[in-house]
Amino acid sequence: MIQKGAHEQPVSAGGGTELFHVIGPRVCERRLLDELCDLTTRVRTVAKSRAGARFLQDLLPDRRAMFYFTQPSTRTFLSFNNACHILGIRTSEIRDPSTSSEVKGEGFEDSIRTFSSYVDVIIMRTREPGRAAQAAWLMDTIARPVPVINAGSGSDQHPTQALLDIYTLDRSFSQRGGIDGKVIGMMGDLKRGRTVRSLCYLMKNYFDVRLVFIAPEQFAMQNDVKSHLEEHGIPFTETEQLGKVLPELDALYVTRMQLEWDKADESRAVDFSRFSVGAKELGMLKPEGIIMHPLPRGPELDPAVDTDPRAMYWRQERNGMWMRAAVLLKIFRLESRIQSLDLEAFAAQDGDIPLVS
Ligand code: NCD
């Protein structure tokens, strides 16, 4: 039973790799992560041909998803929306609460309960932390519960971004033993960046990973994450000097300054230019190292980096769509339909023009 008000909830209800609500990253086990990564690759591969794309569209045409996004979103919204379309799921949305009955004073829980009356999954992003957990708790008390997916809860958590980041890391290191044994740098506003916070919570699933936090002192990684890492024996160091640590990194995850959380313009007091990547920094990165960024970018990521083969963020962005399709397949328990496919035979029987991957 989910506790009311808790921010961190199991993604898996039964101890296996089943998914129902996806609220926080903490309880994600390696088995589930590996399965989701494999499923993501399979969905991507199947979608490459027209026959495959049609097969995917026939998987969930009887399901409906609701997007409740009251905080701005481009990538998470579009990638989930298109993941739904890939699987044949129909969608509806509320992005502006001034168009819903909330303006008449309808409470949050009544709104969520109402959404759940019409759809089979609620995908939500809010400015306040803990709302998705609250919605999941509510669902578990009603007769027709639908799964709730946290698509970003304040500056707290962003579990599906962490899943697509794991997929991107895993694929990038596929020829080098995967994520195990890698040194991963996270740079920027680590205090208020929910993507890096969620990603840290997944690191306990990998062997010999070392983390390097590169942030201005005022925006250093928060203690809840650091305690979690200590508890799980994951070594981490903190620095304000990118140049000192960059040559040892296998991946550098760059994030922007989260100005929207400023209370008194506190970010303005910080020289953030030291926490940026351009041609000079690329020259210090290992030839096989990678640059990631959840996007949108600010001045911390020079567009000149985009053409370097080690820039992984555009692929990371697209991976989000495939990973979110995999998450939806798991939630609706259709993963075996993809896992049992003979992908090569599937591609061979397809006479159509292949679609772009
Ligand atoms: C991130 C977010 O919303 O937290 N964006 C995203 O989902 N891709 C990162 C950010 O806004 O900085």
Side-chain angles (χ1 to χ4, degrees):
M1 171 79 159
I2 284 177
Q3 273 180 357
K4 189 171 191 180
H7 294 179
E8 183 68 26
Q9 305 299 341
V11 290
S12 170
T17 67
E18 320 84 66
L19 279 189
F20 193 66
H21 302 305
V22 181
I23 304 301
R26 242 178 264 220
V27 293
C28 263
E29 298 294 338
R30 177 75 180 253
R31 206 149 57 97
L32 174 65
L33 296 174
D34 287 348
E35 187 186 336
L36 280 171
C37 286
D38 175 66
L39 196 56
T40 301
T41 299
R42 286 173 168 273
V43 173
R44 280 180 68 223
T45 310
V46 174
K48 272 184 193 171
S49 68
R50 284 198 200 282
R54 277 195 296 265
F55 170 85
L56 291 170
Q57 284 225 321
D58 281 344
L59 288 176
L60 288 163
D62 52 341
R63 298 293 182 157
R64 294 180 298 278
M66 153 90 198
F67 289 82
Y68 180 53
F69 273 52
T70 55
Q71 200 198 21
S73 173
T74 302
R75 272 151 287 272
T76 307
F77 179 83
L78 284 176
S79 62
F80 257 124
N81 204 21
N82 284 290
C84 286
H85 296 161
I86 285 167
L87 301 173
I89 301 173
R90 278 166 293 168
T91 59
S92 53
E93 66 189 61
I94 288 180
R95 298 194 71 176
D96 176 359
S98 73
T99 64
S100 81
S101 283
E102 283 170 273
V103 282
K104 299 182 198 164
E106 184 163 56
F108 173 75
E109 295 199 355
D110 281 1
S111 299
I112 293 291
R113 191 166 183 161
T114 301
F115 305 153
S116 78
S117 299
Y118 306 126
V119 300
D120 304 293
V121 57
I122 296 171
I123 303 164
M124 58 184 284
R125 167 174 284 199
T126 57
R127 187 174 161 82
E128 308 78 31
R131 285 302 207 188
Q134 190 185 347
W137 173 83
L138 171 70
M139 285 300 114
D140 287 358
T141 64
I142 67 174
R144 186 184 173 277
V146 307
V148 175
I149 303 178
N150 179 3
S153 49
S155 57
D156 181 33
Q157 297 297 339
H158 196 349
T160 60
Q161 176 75 39
L163 293 175
L164 75 92
D165 292 340
I166 285 291
Y167 180 68
T168 305
L169 287 164
D170 190 57
R171 273 187 72 74
S172 303
F173 301 140
S174 61
Q175 306 302 314
R176 298 171 54 214
I179 299 173
D180 298 326
K182 300 298 178 290
V183 183
I184 300 170
M186 298 185 187
M187 181 168 80
D189 187 344
L190 305 182
K191 181 180 177 188
R192 305 177 298 183
R194 56 192 172 193
T195 62
V196 277
R197 288 174 48 75
S198 283
L199 187 55
C200 281
Y201 280 112
L202 292 184
M203 285 301 155
K204 67 167 194 287
N205 291 292
Y206 300 91
F207 299 109
D208 291 332
V209 165
R210 185 156 65 81
L211 300 179
V212 182
F213 297 138
I214 308 134
E217 200 190 344
Q218 300 89 322
F219 297 101
M221 185 56 85
Q222 296 204 52
N223 286 335
D224 63 323
V225 173
K226 290 199 247 179
S227 309
H228 172 89
L229 295 174
E230 276 158 10
E231 222 172 276
H232 291 274
I234 302 161
F236 64 87
T237 50
E238 296 181 273
T239 179
E240 294 203 35
Q241 286 170 294
L242 175 62
K244 286 214 170 136
V245 292
L246 186 52
E248 70 199 54
L249 303 181
D250 294 295
L252 175 61
Y253 193 111
V254 187
T255 66
R256 71 183 171 88
M257 200 68 179
Q258 305 273 318
L259 300 167
E260 66 270 38
W261 301 110
D262 272 8
K263 292 196 177 84
D265 262 358
E266 56 268 39
S267 342
R268 306 257 174 246
V270 175
D271 172 14
F272 203 61
S273 63
R274 295 180 291 140
F275 304 93
S276 58
V277 175
K280 180 172 145 241
E281 287 73 24
L282 278 181
M284 297 163 77
L285 182 69
K286 282 182 185 176
E288 69 278 21
I290 59 164
I291 305 282
M292 292 172 66
H293 194 303
L295 301 174
R297 76 169 124 203
E300 72 286 345
L301 182 57
D302 187 338
V305 176
D306 294 10
T307 50
D308 191 285
R310 294 167 295 176
M312 217 46 73
Y313 34 93
W314 297 114
R315 265 183 251 180
Q316 180 185 355
E317 173 178 87
R318 187 159 165 85
N319 286 343
M321 179 174 73
W322 303 122
M323 173 52 89
R324 285 168 172 135
V327 166
L328 289 162
L329 281 174
K330 282 288 296 173
I331 287 176
F332 292 115
R333 301 185 175 211
L334 283 187
E335 65 273 27
S336 62
R337 297 283 304 276
I338 306 284
Q339 286 159 343
S340 60
L341 279 180
D342 175 351
L343 297 184
E344 276 172 31
F346 204 85
Q349 61 159 312
D350 183 51
D352 294 328
I353 311 152
L355 304 176
V356 232
S357 77

